[in-house]
Amino acid sequence: MMENVIPKPVSVRQDGGVCRLTAGARIWVEPATEEMVRIGEYLAERLGEVGGTAARPPATCGTRSMPHLQIREEGNGRPQRVAPTGEEEEGGIALTTVGGDAELGEEGYELTITPEGVRVAAAQPAGVFWGVQTLRQMLPATAEGLTEYRLATGRIRDYPRFGWRGMMLDVARHFIGVEEVKRLIDLMASYKLNRLHLHLSDDQGWRIAIASWPNLTACGGSTEVGGGSGGYYSQAEYAEIVGYAASRYITIVPEIDMPGHTNAALASYAELNCDGAARPPYTGTEVGFSSLCIGKEITYRFVEDVVREIAALTPGPYFHIGGDEALVTTTEDYIDFIDRAQAIVQSHGKQAVGTEEIGQAALLPTTIAQHWATDQIRKAARQGVKIIMSPATRTYLDMKYNESTKLGLNWAGYVEVEDAYRWDPATQVEGVGEEDVLGVESLLWSETVETMSDIEYMTFPRLAGHAEIGWSPAAGRSWEEYRVRLGAHGARWAAMGVNFYRSPQIAWR
Ligand code: TNX
């Protein structure tokens, strides 16, 4: 099963043996810090799910009891070592950061499988967690009818090409609840994605409570595309999402889109409008008609308050200021606004992220620009800032797969699984090379997407390809080889109840 892992590992060496992971196999962690124990428990839970005990009725489970977590303690109460012992010969799994190879970096890991057991070693817990994802993919999609797992022995050494492997979820056009976001976080983690960008505001809705501007959610949170009742995250719910994501080594990147895409705020507070008149709520899908009032000081008090409150709830270093499609803001005003917004974000200890249009302004060296569909990315690249690659023709998860896809839009064309996979971030835009690229992000805009089932259908399988583009070396990646590996993932998604698009380009197994 080593051969079906996505993203494709940097190096895989199989040596022809077999490791039998039997009932009663134990998971050992070293050192037994809270964080490492949590990773061990996570693996134990996932193995339990494969066994079916968590989710299925007794008729189809109970055929085996899967490995359980045991923190081995010696003498002084702390685990001393995880080298194979008699007990581990039953097929134990060791997770360790002791002696992890620093050359593998913050997120790299080494996964070694011998007839005696499994060992995931990394310099940092994040690497152990990603190694656990690789191990999960080497187990069968379902344990039904099995009394043991047989793993091919060998060694994987693996680390990411890019540090930013993200997905954007638009919770503004249609609101998406906390439980759905958590499920998406779990699915992202399986493919080693490490950034979840939440598009928290747009013309159609404001989705996070701001204590100093309560009407943003009272009014702006009460609508969505199509006229539904919308919704929003309380600050406690947002913090819960942040914490859940962190437990999966995913950093939340909050976005408040400005100065355009702001009708929900302009409807909530009359004073934010240049003419002092509140805008009516908007539930359509046009873009580019709204703007904050660039010349009014209250605009910057608003930005300051919103950034301060969200930054305080966000441990990650990023704050996304949007910046796209400010079609009714003059260029001069736009530049003034981005200057001030960047400075406000920086004053709260965060790095600004913005869409490529921000390249028109003088960017701070720490600001990050995101490419989607225009040439303005080159202006940002020429200033030497880092670039996130989200070309609409490749990474827009809201583009239809083909003309018969019911959900989605098609302004950037159709994006079949092959289109989503067959490109490289370092050669996609002339003038933006490997050294400029921070990573890759897949964007799911939600004008047409309402439910978890809709999210899953548009996201899978394309997200798996983007994850591989962000993680795996360019050399050695090919569509013909990838599509075979991808074929093995349909059964996994089916077992998890994921509503994925069964593309005819893939021979699903
Ligand atoms: C463009 S991409 C937008 C969004 C829309 C999306 C629909 C970008 C930065 N702006 O406002 O939702 O197209 O595909």
Side-chain angles (χ1 to χ4, degrees):
M1 307 285 276
M2 270 192 188
E3 54 276 9
N4 288 328
V5 173
I6 296 176
K8 186 178 182 164
V10 171
S11 113
V12 176
R13 203 199 63 216
Q14 301 203 44
D15 57 24
V18 175
C19 169
R20 295 188 151 86
L21 202 58
T22 57
R26 289 170 184 182
I27 297 169
W28 313 90
V29 300
E30 177 195 57
T33 56
E34 221 177 281
E35 187 173 11
M36 290 295 289
V37 169
R38 203 163 30 75
I39 298 173
E41 282 168 347
Y42 168 91
L43 174 59
E45 278 166 28
R46 299 290 90 72
L47 292 175
E49 284 168 11
V50 174
T53 48
R56 284 178 219 151
T60 55
C61 72
T63 51
R64 54 184 285 112
S65 73
M66 290 310 300
H68 58 279
L69 180 71
Q70 175 166 316
I71 311 304
R72 190 169 76 186
E73 306 211 351
E74 278 180 13
N76 59 7
R78 298 180 51 220
Q80 300 295 304
R81 57 192 188 94
V82 288
T85 66
E87 279 175 295
E88 283 183 45
E89 278 162 26
E90 306 171 34
I93 303 172
L95 309 178
T96 181
T97 54
V98 176
D101 185 349
E103 270 179 30
L104 294 166
E106 295 275 309
E107 297 186 287
Y109 65 91
E110 195 168 64
L111 170 60
T112 309
I113 302 177
T114 66
E116 284 73 45
V118 176
R119 183 184 176 96
V120 181
Q124 299 294 331
V128 173
F129 186 76
W130 300 138
V132 161
Q133 301 308 328
T134 300
L135 174 62
R136 288 179 64 202
Q137 289 190 11
M138 292 169 54
L139 302 171
T142 145
E144 239 165 275
L146 299 178
T147 54
E148 65 178 16
Y149 289 145
R150 302 173 114 239
L151 294 172
T153 59
R155 172 169 297 187
I156 290 178
R157 268 179 73 85
D158 199 15
Y159 49 85
R161 177 178 174 193
F162 295 115
W164 187 293
R165 303 177 306 279
M167 174 168 174
M168 185 282 288
L169 182 64
D170 173 6
V171 298
R173 270 55 177 272
H174 282 103
F175 181 62
I176 315 286
V178 174
E179 289 315 306
E180 283 82 5
V181 175
K182 286 182 176 174
R183 176 167 162 93
L184 184 66
I185 286 170
D186 280 326
L187 291 167
M188 288 172 63
S190 317
Y191 293 94
K192 304 187 177 77
L193 294 181
N194 65 357
R195 303 279 184 266
L196 174 59
H197 163 185
L198 291 174
H199 183 74
L200 292 166
S201 69
D202 211 303
D203 292 319
Q204 300 88 346
W206 185 283
R207 306 299 180 209
I208 182 163
I210 302 296
S212 53
W213 295 73
N215 217 34
L216 289 171
T217 43
C219 166
S222 66
T223 52
E224 64 181 11
V225 167
S229 59
Y232 62 89
Y233 307 124
S234 66
Q235 294 202 351
E237 286 169 331
Y238 174 78
E240 185 183 335
I241 292 172
V242 167
Y244 192 82
S247 75
R248 270 72 175 148
Y249 296 87
I250 292 175
T251 300
I252 295 293
V253 181
E255 179 193 347
I256 297 298
D257 201 348
M258 305 176 282
H261 288 278
T262 42
N263 191 77
L266 299 171
S268 304
Y269 287 95
E271 57 270 43
L272 290 176
N273 294 274
C274 285
D275 62 7
R279 293 293 174 267
Y282 182 69
T283 59
T285 59
E286 294 298 307
V287 293
F289 61 86
S290 56
S291 180
L292 291 174
C293 188
I294 308 302
K296 269 186 164 178
E297 271 316 297
I298 192 170
T299 296
Y300 304 95
R301 286 208 297 282
F302 163 78
V303 175
E304 162 73 28
D305 289 340
V306 168
V307 172
R308 185 186 64 251
E309 290 195 31
I310 297 176
L313 298 166
T314 307
Y318 314 107
F319 191 101
H320 202 307
I321 59 174
D324 58 310
E325 299 172 322
L327 305 182
V328 296
T329 319
T330 65
T331 302
E332 202 188 356
D333 277 358
Y334 181 83
I335 291 171
D336 285 351
F337 180 84
I338 297 300
D339 281 349
R340 293 187 69 171
Q342 268 187 117
I344 290 170
V345 167
Q346 192 181 43
S347 77
H348 291 287
K350 303 295 179 192
Q351 268 170 274
V353 186
T355 56
E356 58 205 352
E357 291 91 331
I358 65 169
Q360 299 171 92
L363 300 177
L364 295 170
T366 51
T367 292
I368 296 165
Q370 183 165 23
H371 168 58
W372 60 285
T374 78
D375 273 354
Q376 285 168 346
I377 195 59
R378 296 209 190 96
K379 292 189 188 153
R382 267 188 249 121
Q383 298 188 50
V385 302
K386 288 289 181 201
I387 310 290
I388 299 165
M389 295 298 289
S390 306
T393 53
R394 307 290 188 176
T395 66
Y396 269 33
L397 299 173
D398 64 320
M399 291 301 118
K400 292 175 183 288
Y401 291 98
N402 57 47
E403 63 285 349
S404 56
T405 309
K406 290 199 180 64
L407 300 170
L409 308 174
N410 63 2
W411 66 263
Y414 299 121
V415 182
E416 247 296 354
V417 180
E418 180 174 357
D419 305 309
Y421 184 78
R422 231 178 174 158
W423 65 285
D424 189 81
T427 56
Q428 175 73 13
V429 176
E430 213 191 297
V432 178
E434 178 94 22
E435 61 293 344
D436 302 311
V437 176
L438 187 59
V440 179
E441 192 174 292
S442 319
L443 275 58
L444 181 55
W445 299 102
S446 65
E447 286 93 334
T448 65
V449 168
E450 296 184 51
T451 64
M452 190 66 204
S453 170
D454 294 348
I455 291 172
E456 291 171 1
Y457 188 78
M458 299 308 278
T459 301
F460 294 97
R462 290 181 289 200
L463 188 72
H466 298 154
E468 176 150 307
I469 292 168
W471 179 284
S472 309
R477 277 209 298 115
S478 89
W479 162 249
E480 290 307 331
E481 186 268 344
Y482 171 72
R483 66 201 288 242
V484 176
R485 255 182 305 130
L486 183 58
H489 288 248
R492 292 181 186 281
W493 294 328
M496 290 185 276
V498 173
N499 178 31
F500 67 102
Y501 164 58
R502 286 157 173 83
S503 169
Q505 296 183 328
I506 308 299
W508 300 104
R509 305 201 284 289

